[in-house]
Amino acid sequence: MGHELRFLLNDTEIRLTEAGSRDTLLDFLRLNRRLTGTKEGCAEGDCGACTVLVGRLHHGALHYEPINACIRFLASCHGCHIVTVEHLRGANGGLHPVQAAMVEHHGSQCGFCTPGFVMALYGLWMQNPRPDMLAIETALQGNLCRCTGYEPIVKAAFAASEAGGQHMDALTVERDRVTAALAAIPRERVEVARGEDRAILPADAADLAQVLAENPKATIVAGATDVGLWVTKFLRDISPAVFIGDLQDLKKIEITPGHITIGAGVTYSEFEPFVLAHFPEALDYWRRIGGWQVRNAGTIGGNVANGSPIGETPPLLIALGATMRLRSVEGSRELPVEDYFIDYGKQDRRPGEFVEAITVPLKGEARIAAYKVSKRHHADITASAAAFRVETDGAIIIDARVAFGGMAATPKRAAAAEAALNGQPFTAETFEAAAKAVANDFQPLSDWRASKEYRQQLAANFFRRFWLEQSGAEHRLRRAE
Amino acid sequence: MKQDVIAKGAAHTSIIHDSAVKHVTGTADYTDDLMEPVGTLHGYLGLSPVAHGRITAMDLDAVKKAPGVHAVLTAEDIPGHNDISPTGLHDEPVFAFPEVQFVGQPIFAVIAETRDQARRACQLAKVEYEELPFALDAIAARDAGMGYVTKPLKLARGDMAELDRAPRQLSGRLTVGGQEHFYLESQIAFAFPGEDDEVIVNTSTQHPTEVQHMVAHVLDVPSNAVVVQVRRMGGGFGGKESQMNGFCAIAALAAKKLKRAVKIRPDRDDDFQITGKRHDFVIDYAVGYDETGRIHAVDADFYARCGFSSDLSGPVTDRALFHADNAYYYPAVELRSHPMKTNTCSNTAFRGFGGPQGVVMAERIVEDIAYQLGRDPLEIRKRNLYENGQLTPYHQEVEDQILPRIFEELEASADYHARRQAVLDFNARAAREGGAIRKGIALTPVKFGISFTATWYNQAGALIHIYSDGSIHLNHGGTEMGQGLNTKVAQVVAEALGIDIDRIKITKTTTEKVPNTSATAASSGSDLNGMAALNACEQLLARLKAFAAEGKDVDPDLISIGETVRIGDEEMPFADFIRTAYLARVQLSAAGFYKTPKIHWDRDTGRGRPFYYFAYGAACSEVSVDTLTGEYVIERADVLHDVGRSLNPALDKGQVEGAFVQGTGWLTSEELWWDAKGRLRTHAPSTYKIPLASDRPKVFNVQLADWSVNRENTIKRSKAVGEPPFMLGISVFQALNMAVASFNGYRENPRIDAPATPERVLMAIEAIR
C-alpha cells in the first residue's frame, strides 16, 4: 500500500503524503500552488470558471478532458495529468490559437469566466479539429458567461479550428513523455490522510471490495459530481472516502449478443459513442445530462447508485430493462435496476457493497425514446423525464415499459399507463389513453423546478410526443440542423 | 507635406479590451487573486435562517473555540454606526440584532486562519429566535400593511378623464419576475490595516466612494482614513453598486481589530441569499384607446418587492415609472410606484435599474390593444411612437427621436413583414395538421433615458500624469466590470493627446486618486469619465502648447502634440518633448472634471429634464415553441441599436449582444423561487438558470446604427450602451406570447407573465387550447 498521492500538474510532478478526502483540486491550485488563473464561480460544477483539463490513461492511451476543479477531489487526481490555463501557450510561446481567437473575436468582457472557456475550447480543439455549431454548443454547455451573450465565443471556437496547429500543441508534443510518467505511477492501493480525514484509492475492483469490507461506512466517490457538493455546499464529512473513478476494472464496456454491459465507472462521455451506436434515439437526452465537464467526470454507476429521483440514467435503464451487479467480498448479486430504488434516499445496497456493472438489453426491434424537460434546455436538473421501450407484434403493442424521473420519490415505471398500452393497437388513440392513464401513476411534488400540475401535464404529453415521433410528424425543436 | 497620423487606439476604432490578453491567459488579477500578506485571515458570515424574528439568545462560544478562529464579530463590536444604508435612512444594519428581517441576513462574522475553518465554525452558532409574522412578495406585503421602504413617486400629465372618454378601454395585471445578477465573480472584500485609523480595502465594487463612506461610517473614522481600490470586477451589472458595502465594512472592521489582512468571500449560495436582486413587480394597468390603436390614457400602479430595506429601491422604482412609456406617447397618464417592504433580501440596482419593468408594461399594453383590434402589434407600436416635441410623463420634451428610421431599417433587414406572414402560415398549418411546433415573431423598440436621476451623481473626475519618460498614467473615477470603460477612456486620451494607446497605463480605480466619484452605473461610465479625462487632456495640451510656443515665433495652429510633436518646422518624438517640458518645470499632471449640463429634476412635482438624452434601439425576434413541453428556441434575432458615434464599435456590439441575451434570460429561464418560509431555493447556478451558448439566438444579427450622432455634446458624440439594449430581450418575450396566441386565433393576448419559463408557456397554452 502506498501513502503518497502522485500526479502531474502542468510540467511539475506533485507528490503529497498529506491530503484529506475533502480537499478539492481547485483549492489546491489556488491556495497551495498560487495558480490563480483557475477561478471559483460557484463551487458546484455548474459555471465552468474552474475548468481544467485532466489527462488520464484509459486502457493505456492518454486522453484529456475538461472537468470542473471545484468539485474534483484532490485525491482523485492520483495518476492524472492536470493542465491549467497557465500551461497553455502557442507553439512559439505566445498565445495559443484558442486564446488568440478569443482575443481577436472579443470573447472576453469581464474575463472571470474566460480561463474556463479557454480550457473547454482547448479540450474541444484537441478532440474535434473541425467542430460544427452543435459540437461547439455542446462543448460549452458547462460554461456560463454573463457578459458576452456567447456569440463572440462561438465565433472564436470556429476561428481556433481554422487556425489548427494541433500537431504542434504542447500536449501532443509531450504525449509520450506524459504517458510514460503516468504509467510509472504504481497502481497499488493508496491511502493518505490529514489527521482523521482519510482518502483511500483501491488498486482494483477486488481491492475495492476489501476496502469496503474494512470500512463499511466509507463514502464511495466516483465522478464526485454529486458528492463534491456534499462537501462544498453542505460541509459534510465524507471520511473515509474511497475514490473509484480511475479503477480500470470498472471502466469496461462489453458487448455480447443481445446485451451491453457497462462498468460502473464508465463516464457519461465515455458511453456517449455507444449511445449513438446502440440507442441513437436517446442521444439528445444523453447530451442533456449536466454540462460537458460533468459528463466527463460523472459515472453511470454513480448516477444509479446515488439513488436520486432526478438522475437521468435510471428512467432510461429501467425502461430498457437493465440489470445491475452489486459486489462485495461476499460475492456478487444481480438485480433489476428498478428494484434497486426502495424509497427516497433508500436503496438496496448493503454495507460493503458497490455497484460493479450495469447490463442493458440491446433494443432489437423495440421502439425507444427518452425525454427530459427542464427550465433550461441544457445543463439543468430534470423537472420531468421519461423513457420508453415499446415492442409491437404487427399492429399490437406486446410489451411497453415506460419509466419516469422527477415524478416520485424514486425513478419509477408508470404501471397504469403501461397497462393502457399493453395489448392495445399501436395507434394515436392508444397513446392518448395512456396519456390520460399516467395521471393515476404519479402524485408529483411542486418545487422550484416545476409545479405538480406541469409535471402531470408533461407526463401525459410525453406519450403524445412518443406517438408523434413514431408517426413521423414534426414534433421537436432543433437547436442545430 | 506634413501628415497627421491617426494615433493607434484612437476613439471610434475597434481595439480589443485592454485586459483581453490577460483574461485569456488567466493573468488578470481579481480581488481573490491578489497576493495575500503573511498572516492573512478569512471571514465568513453567519446568516439568519428565519424570514422575520427577534433573536432571544445567541451563544457563540462553540464558534469562538472552533479550530483556527481568531474572532467572532457581532453588532456589539462596531465602533461606529451599525448601518450601511446607502440612502441615509439607517435601515440596513451590518449585523442584524436583535431583529432579523430576511433569511440570509448577516448576524455575525467569524474570522479564522482559513476560509474553510471560518465557514465551518459559523455552523456551530446556537441562536434562538422568536419568529414574527412576515410577508414575502409585494402584494402580500401590501395586504399585510407592511408599508413602503421609501417614499413613492407619482408621475402625472394630461386629463385622466380621457381614460373613460376613450372609445375603448382595457385593463390587466402583469407580473414580472426579478433577476439575480450572477456576476461570475461573487462579492469579495480584502482589507489591509494601516497605521492610526487607516485601512485599505481591495474589493470588487462599482462604487468605491460609497464603500469608503460606509467603512468610515462603520469604523467611526473620517473618509480620509479609508482607501478603496478596484482594479477590475468579474461582472457587476448593478449587483456591486451598493451590495459590497457590508462585506467591505466587515473586512475592514476585522482587519483593524485583529491587525491582520482579512478577506471575506461568501460562497455562491450565500451571495445569492444575502445580496439584492432586480426588483420583481406586479403592475396593474388600465388603458383608454381608440379603434386606430392610438393610446389616449394610461393609468398604472407599480408594486415592487423591495426587500427589508430601502437600498436603491427609491430610484429603481422611480425609473420603472420613467420608462413605463417606453417609446410611446401617452396623452394622459398617471403612474404610481409602491416600493413595498418585504421580508426578503434588499433588492437593488440591476442593468436597466427598474426601467425594463416599466418597458415591459408599455409593450404589454401595445400588444393588448393589437390583439383586441386584430392588428399586427408593430402597427400599434408605430402609431404611438413619440414625435419630437411631445412630453413624457415627467414633462421632458422628446427632442432626439430616431425610432422611425430604426424601425424602417430593421423591418427591411430582418424581412419582418414576410417573416411574420410565414409565421402566421406556419401556425395555421400546424393547427390544421396537429403539428407540435408553433412560432412567434415580434419587433420591439427601446427608448432609454441617460443620466442618473439623482442629478448630483452626474459628475466625474480623472487624473492624468505624464511621466518624464513620456509614459502616461491614466486614472478616473469609473470602475471596470468588463464593459471596456478603461479601454474607451484610454482611447479618448490617446486621441486627445495624439499618442498611441500603448503609451497609456490603465490603472486601478482608487479613492486616493479621484475623490467623490459616482457609482459606475446608469450606463454613464464613458459619458462621464471620458469627458473628465478629456478635460484633463485639454489642460495638459494647453500647458504643453504654451510651453512649445514659449520664446518662439510660431503660429499656434502650427503646434501639434502627438507621437511626433511639431512646433512649426521643428519635429521631435513625444518622449523627448516631454523631457524638455519636465526640465522646463511644466506641470505634467492634470485633474479633469465634468458635470452633465442641462439636466434637472424635481421629484416632488414630478417634472423636469432628468435625462440628458435618449438612446434608442429595436430588435426583431422569432421563436419556435414545443407545444407539448413549453420549451422554445430563438430561431433568429436581428438588432439595430443606437450608440451615437461609437467610441469602440467592437466593444459596443459586445455590450448589445450581451445585454440582449441577459434580457432574454430575465424573461425566460431565470426564475427566483422562494419557499413558504422565505428561503430562496434558486440560490446557485444549479437551480437558477441563466442562458447558455445554446440558448442564444440561432441566427443573431447585431448592427449598430452607425449613422446616429448624439445631438447633445457627449464624449465624441457617442451614446451610453450598457443598459438600453437589455430591453431588446423583450422581443423574445413577445414572440413567445404570439406563439401561444396562435392557439386562440390571436383573438386575445395570452398575457404570459415573466419569466416565461417552459412551464408558464405550456400552462398558458393549456389554458387557452
Side-chain angles (χ1 to χ4, degrees):
Chain A
M1 181 162 69
H3 290 282
E4 194 177 51
L5 283 183
R6 290 177 61 182
F7 58 95
L8 301 183
L9 171 58
N10 298 331
D11 45 20
T12 307
E13 186 180 357
I14 304 288
R15 291 168 175 248
L16 299 171
T17 51
E18 187 184 22
S21 67
R22 60 180 192 235
D23 295 8
T24 65
L25 173 60
L26 180 61
D27 279 351
F28 178 75
L29 295 175
R30 289 186 58 85
L31 304 179
N32 188 301
R33 309 302 294 193
R34 292 281 317 153
L35 292 171
T36 54
T38 309
K39 310 298 183 191
E40 179 180 314
C42 68
E44 61 176 1
D46 260 277
C47 79
C50 64
T51 301
V52 299
L53 295 191
V54 172
R56 294 200 285 190
L57 292 181
H58 189 44
H59 303 304
L62 178 59
H63 190 63
Y64 288 95
E65 289 174 318
I67 58 97
N68 293 307
C70 67
I71 51 168
R72 177 79 180 206
F73 290 111
L74 185 62
S76 72
C77 296
H78 183 71
C80 298
H81 183 200
I82 308 297
V83 182
T84 70
V85 69
E86 286 85 357
H87 195 57
L88 195 58
R89 59 183 61 85
N92 56 3
L95 292 180
H96 187 274
V98 166
Q99 293 170 320
M102 281 286 281
V103 169
E104 189 183 337
H105 290 271
H106 307 279
S108 71
Q109 286 184 20
C110 86
F112 198 83
C113 70
T114 309
F117 270 94
V118 164
M119 295 310 283
L121 290 174
Y122 181 33
L124 175 69
W125 178 86
M126 270 199 295
Q127 282 191 15
N128 185 352
R130 284 273 171 249
D132 58 12
M133 184 67 85
L134 183 63
I136 291 168
E137 290 182 356
T138 304
L140 295 180
Q141 286 170 0
N143 291 85
L144 296 176
C145 169
R146 194 53 153 166
C147 296
T148 64
Y150 302 99
E151 190 69 18
I153 298 174
V154 172
K155 288 199 172 88
F158 280 117
S161 94
E162 290 293 323
Q166 283 85 348
H167 62 288
M168 297 183 290
D169 187 64
L171 295 185
T172 309
V173 174
E174 301 272 290
R175 174 166 289 270
D176 291 345
R177 190 184 65 76
V178 172
T179 302
L182 296 183
I185 297 172
R187 296 302 156 128
E188 56 181 351
R189 188 195 291 190
V190 173
E191 180 168 341
V192 290
R194 172 175 291 119
E196 301 290 300
D197 183 13
R198 296 161 59 214
I200 306 166
L201 290 102
D204 52 31
D207 191 39
L208 168 59
Q210 192 57 45
V211 168
L212 293 176
E214 294 161 13
N215 302 277
K217 292 193 173 160
T219 311
I220 302 176
V221 187
T225 55
D226 195 30
V227 180
L229 278 72
W230 301 358
V231 171
T232 61
K233 295 296 170 182
F234 311 122
L235 308 183
R236 267 166 64 177
D237 186 5
I238 58 168
S239 174
V242 183
F243 293 91
I244 64 167
D246 208 26
L247 286 184
Q248 296 302 301
D249 287 355
L250 301 183
K251 287 194 152 289
K252 292 177 195 150
I253 298 171
E254 289 170 330
I255 300 175
T256 55
H259 290 84
I260 183 163
T261 297
I262 313 160
V266 172
T267 64
Y268 305 113
S269 289
E270 285 163 350
F271 195 65
E272 190 176 305
F274 295 86
V275 174
L276 178 62
H278 299 283
F279 308 101
E281 301 89 339
L283 188 65
D284 178 61
Y285 181 81
W286 203 259
R287 288 177 172 159
R288 291 185 71 166
I289 302 172
W292 191 25
Q293 292 88 333
V294 165
R295 291 196 298 276
N296 289 335
T299 64
I300 298 169
N303 193 236
V304 173
N306 172 300
S308 166
I310 45 174
E312 280 89 349
T313 65
L316 182 58
L317 294 171
I318 292 170
L320 293 174
T323 58
M324 58 197 284
R325 187 163 72 240
L326 289 138
R327 177 173 167 182
S328 71
V329 287
E330 310 287 321
S332 294
R333 65 187 174 107
E334 194 94 14
L335 78 162
V337 170
E338 61 188 291
D339 292 347
Y340 176 72
F341 305 100
I342 299 167
D343 202 347
Y344 184 78
K346 191 172 176 206
Q347 298 88 37
D348 184 9
R349 186 166 66 85
R350 300 165 194 162
E353 272 188 337
F354 64 94
V355 178
E356 186 172 34
I358 292 158
T359 298
V360 189
L362 295 176
K363 65 179 175 131
E365 297 298 308
R367 302 160 195 261
I368 69 163
Y371 307 127
K372 164 175 165 172
V373 172
S374 47
K375 219 176 271 181
R376 186 177 68 198
H377 198 79
H378 292 118
D380 194 0
I381 294 165
T382 299
S384 179
F388 288 71
R389 183 184 185 284
V390 176
E391 263 187 75
T392 52
D393 183 3
I396 302 297
I397 298 168
I398 54 168
D399 186 22
R401 295 172 62 90
V402 189
F404 280 81
M407 296 294 290
T410 60
K412 194 165 163 268
R413 283 170 70 180
E418 287 181 3
L421 295 174
N422 281 319
Q424 299 301 311
F426 190 75
T427 61
E429 291 70 28
T430 298
F431 281 90
E432 191 55 38
K436 294 199 164 64
V438 77
N440 300 320
D441 282 313
F442 301 108
Q443 288 78 46
L445 297 174
S446 288
D447 66 12
W448 53 95
R449 292 191 189 99
S451 68
K452 61 176 188 270
E453 294 80 10
Y454 182 51
R455 287 188 160 111
Q456 291 279 22
Q457 186 69 48
L458 287 174
N461 284 359
F462 288 152
F463 289 88
R464 298 180 177 119
R465 176 191 266 187
F466 184 82
W467 169 257
L468 279 178
E469 203 164 70
Q470 296 302 323
S471 64
E474 185 181 5
H475 62 283
R476 276 220 234 186
L477 299 174
R478 284 178 203 285
R479 178 63 209 173
E481 304 312 324
Chain B
M1 165 107 193
K2 288 171 191 168
Q3 198 154 1
D4 276 320
V5 182
I6 294 172
K8 187 179 161 198
H12 312 304
T13 59
S14 283
I15 62 167
I16 60 169
H17 191 287
D18 70 274
S19 294
V21 170
K22 284 179 279 201
H23 292 156
V24 300
T25 52
T27 54
D29 282 343
Y30 299 82
T31 303
D32 200 28
D33 303 330
L34 298 176
M35 201 62 85
E36 295 175 5
V38 171
T40 295
L41 300 175
H42 299 266
Y44 211 81
L45 303 182
L47 310 179
S48 167
V50 301
H52 189 199
R54 186 170 298 279
I55 296 173
T56 54
M58 186 150 73
D59 175 1
L60 300 174
D61 278 355
V63 184
K64 288 173 186 157
K65 287 177 189 149
V69 171
H70 282 238
V72 180
L73 304 174
T74 65
E76 288 180 352
D77 297 291
I78 292 172
H81 303 270
N82 183 16
D83 172 55
I84 45 167
S85 163
T87 55
L89 292 179
H90 302 284
D91 59 357
E92 189 169 342
V94 179
F95 296 119
F97 190 86
E99 189 187 11
V100 292
Q101 301 193 76
F102 71 100
V103 175
Q105 187 165 27
I107 51 179
F108 65 92
V110 180
I111 315 296
E113 300 273 336
T114 70
R115 182 169 175 269
D116 189 57
Q117 286 173 333
R119 197 174 169 199
R120 286 171 188 278
C122 275
Q123 298 196 311
L124 304 174
K126 295 190 190 88
V127 186
E128 288 169 30
Y129 302 86
E130 176 199 348
E131 294 200 35
L132 299 170
F134 59 87
L136 298 176
D137 63 56
I139 298 302
R142 182 192 65 183
D143 295 348
M146 295 274 286
Y148 296 143
V149 290
T150 185
K151 203 174 152 196
L153 176 67
K154 184 167 101 173
L155 296 182
R157 207 203 57 247
D159 177 7
M160 283 308 289
E162 292 298 325
L163 190 64
D164 291 328
R165 274 204 292 268
R168 302 178 68 128
Q169 287 82 25
L170 61 81
S171 62
R173 168 173 280 195
L174 168 66
T175 299
V176 53
Q179 187 177 28
E180 158 64 31
H181 305 82
F182 205 80
Y183 28 67
L184 262 288
E185 175 209 32
S186 60
Q187 306 273 331
I188 183 162
F190 191 8
F192 294 66
E195 59 186 40
D196 300 327
D197 54 4
E198 295 167 14
V199 63
I200 298 170
V201 183
N202 292 286
T203 183
S204 176
T205 180
Q206 294 170 239
H207 201 347
T209 287
E210 186 171 272
V211 168
Q212 178 193 23
H213 293 165
M214 290 299 161
V215 169
H217 184 60
V218 170
L219 296 184
D220 199 22
V221 299
S223 291
N224 65 13
V226 182
V227 175
V228 177
Q229 312 188 136
V230 182
R231 173 59 184 93
R232 62 171 64 77
M233 282 168 268
F237 315 112
K240 293 173 180 171
E241 183 170 345
S242 62
Q243 301 299 295
M244 204 65 75
N245 294 341
F247 300 99
C248 291
I250 296 166
L253 174 66
K256 289 307 285 181
K257 189 178 169 81
L258 298 169
K259 298 187 171 52
R260 298 264 204 117
V262 175
K263 188 193 282 188
I264 296 184
R265 174 173 66 85
D267 183 65
R268 178 65 67 175
D269 290 53
D270 290 351
D271 186 309
F272 260 73
Q273 289 200 67
I274 297 167
T275 65
K277 320 201 177 308
R278 181 185 297 286
H279 294 64
D280 53 318
F281 277 74
V282 174
I283 305 163
D284 288 328
Y285 60 91
V287 187
Y289 64 107
D290 62 30
E291 301 294 338
T292 71
R294 189 174 293 281
I295 295 168
H296 289 210
V298 172
D299 177 274
D301 286 285
F302 285 74
Y303 297 93
R305 172 170 13 210
C306 294
F308 80 100
S309 75
S310 54
D311 185 68
L312 301 171
S313 291
V316 166
T317 50
D318 286 2
R319 202 176 258 270
L321 302 195
F322 283 124
H323 290 86
D325 59 344
N326 189 20
Y328 311 117
Y329 177 57
Y330 300 158
V333 58
E334 188 170 316
L335 308 166
R336 296 167 296 275
S337 74
H338 304 275
M340 304 307 305
K341 174 168 176 157
T342 54
N343 291 107
T344 48
C345 58
S346 190
N347 283 334
T348 192
F350 193 147
R351 199 177 204 166
F353 205 71
Q357 295 92 320
V359 172
V360 166
M361 184 202 75
E363 295 305 320
R364 162 67 78 79
I365 285 173
V366 164
E367 298 231 328
D368 275 354
I369 294 171
Y371 283 100
Q372 287 297 315
L373 298 176
R375 306 271 179 79
D376 177 350
L378 181 59
E379 194 189 322
I380 310 302
R381 291 189 165 99
K382 287 182 180 170
R383 189 170 306 287
N384 288 289
L385 280 186
Y386 274 108
E387 289 169 16
N388 281 338
Q390 288 177 327
L391 291 185
T392 62
Y394 40 94
H395 301 260
Q396 173 166 352
E397 190 178 324
V398 174
E399 300 170 316
D400 55 8
Q401 172 65 291
I402 56 169
L403 279 170
R405 180 169 175 186
I406 286 183
F407 270 23
E408 189 185 338
E409 292 189 7
L410 185 63
E411 281 172 58
S413 66
D415 196 16
Y416 172 78
H417 296 283
R419 284 171 60 213
R420 178 173 154 90
Q421 190 55 50
V423 164
L424 292 169
D425 293 347
F426 178 94
N427 289 342
R429 192 168 63 246
R432 268 197 319 274
E433 297 171 4
I437 308 295
R438 294 291 172 97
K439 290 177 180 274
I441 187 169
L443 193 160
T444 65
V446 63
K447 160 184 138 286
F448 199 79
I450 303 300
S451 294
F452 288 98
T453 55
T455 302
W456 66 90
Y457 265 21
N458 297 288
Q459 59 172 306
L463 181 64
I464 298 177
H465 303 322
I466 306 177
Y467 292 101
S468 59
D469 66 352
S471 67
I472 294 170
H473 182 110
L474 166 62
N475 209 279
H476 56 82
T479 55
E480 176 63 45
M481 62 194 102
Q483 80 279 44
L485 172 61
N486 284 341
T487 311
K488 285 183 173 181
V489 175
Q491 286 180 271
V492 168
V493 171
E495 175 154 317
L497 299 179
I499 47 92
D500 287 348
I501 200 163
D502 301 345
R503 198 177 277 287
I504 302 169
K505 185 91 181 164
I506 295 169
T507 56
K508 65 177 177 262
T509 309
T510 166
T511 54
E512 280 186 314
K513 287 203 175 133
V514 177
N516 307 323
T517 58
S518 297
T520 306
S523 309
S524 68
S526 306
D527 280 13
L528 299 178
N529 296 290
M531 279 300 222
L534 183 61
N535 175 250
C537 290
E538 284 164 351
Q539 296 174 42
L540 289 165
L541 283 170
R543 283 184 219 144
L544 291 170
K545 285 187 177 176
F547 161 67
E550 241 172 53
K552 297 196 181 82
D553 184 20
V554 181
D555 180 350
D557 289 344
L558 294 178
I559 297 175
S560 72
I561 307 297
E563 280 298 321
T564 301
V565 176
R566 297 196 180 86
I567 305 160
D569 293 332
E570 197 184 344
E571 291 190 0
M572 70 178 84
F574 183 73
D576 293 357
F577 173 69
I578 291 299
R579 179 81 190 157
T580 58
Y582 162 72
L583 293 173
R585 298 185 291 172
V586 175
Q587 188 192 358
L588 294 174
S589 174
F593 185 75
Y594 175 72
K595 59 180 178 178
T596 310
K598 295 188 177 180
I599 50 176
H600 55 91
W601 170 239
D602 182 343
R603 193 175 185 276
D604 292 331
T605 61
R607 286 169 185 252
R609 177 185 178 159
F611 303 122
Y612 188 28
Y613 63 90
F614 295 102
Y616 299 91
C620 175
S621 295
E622 180 180 338
V623 301
S624 293
V625 174
D626 177 340
T627 62
L628 290 174
T629 63
E631 296 168 292
Y632 37 77
V633 294
I634 306 170
E635 298 286 351
R636 174 173 164 182
D638 295 77
V639 170
L640 182 59
H641 195 78
D642 159 35
V643 296
R645 258 201 96 196
S646 175
L647 285 174
N648 183 323
L651 298 185
D652 283 350
K653 193 177 171 199
Q655 287 295 298
V656 176
E657 288 173 342
F660 179 92
V661 170
Q662 197 176 62
T664 302
W666 167 52
L667 295 169
T668 58
S669 59
E670 296 184 35
E671 187 173 32
L672 294 163
W673 198 94
W674 283 265
D675 68 16
K677 291 184 168 172
R679 295 177 297 190
L680 178 64
R681 303 303 294 268
T682 49
H683 48 61
S686 52
T687 44
Y688 183 79
K689 311 311 286 188
I690 72 168
L692 281 173
S694 53
D695 296 307
R696 79 191 198 293
K698 279 161 72 173
V699 176
F700 197 10
N701 301 315
V702 174
Q703 296 292 327
L704 303 178
D706 54 11
W707 40 264
S708 174
V709 177
N710 199 334
R711 66 193 298 279
E712 299 297 346
N713 186 21
T714 53
I715 184 72
K716 304 279 169 195
R717 300 283 174 178
S718 66
K719 288 190 180 184
V721 67
E723 295 167 294
F726 179 87
M727 280 144 277
L728 299 177
I730 293 169
S731 58
V732 170
F733 183 59
Q734 305 293 25
L736 288 169
N737 208 47
M738 178 187 176
V740 174
S742 72
F743 280 91
N744 66 14
Y746 314 99
R747 283 188 302 276
E748 211 172 307
N749 188 356
R751 292 182 168 176
I752 303 179
D753 282 329
T757 55
E759 170 164 351
R760 283 217 179 79
V761 170
L762 186 69
M763 298 322 253
I765 290 169
E766 292 299 324
I768 63 170
R769 197 192 265 274

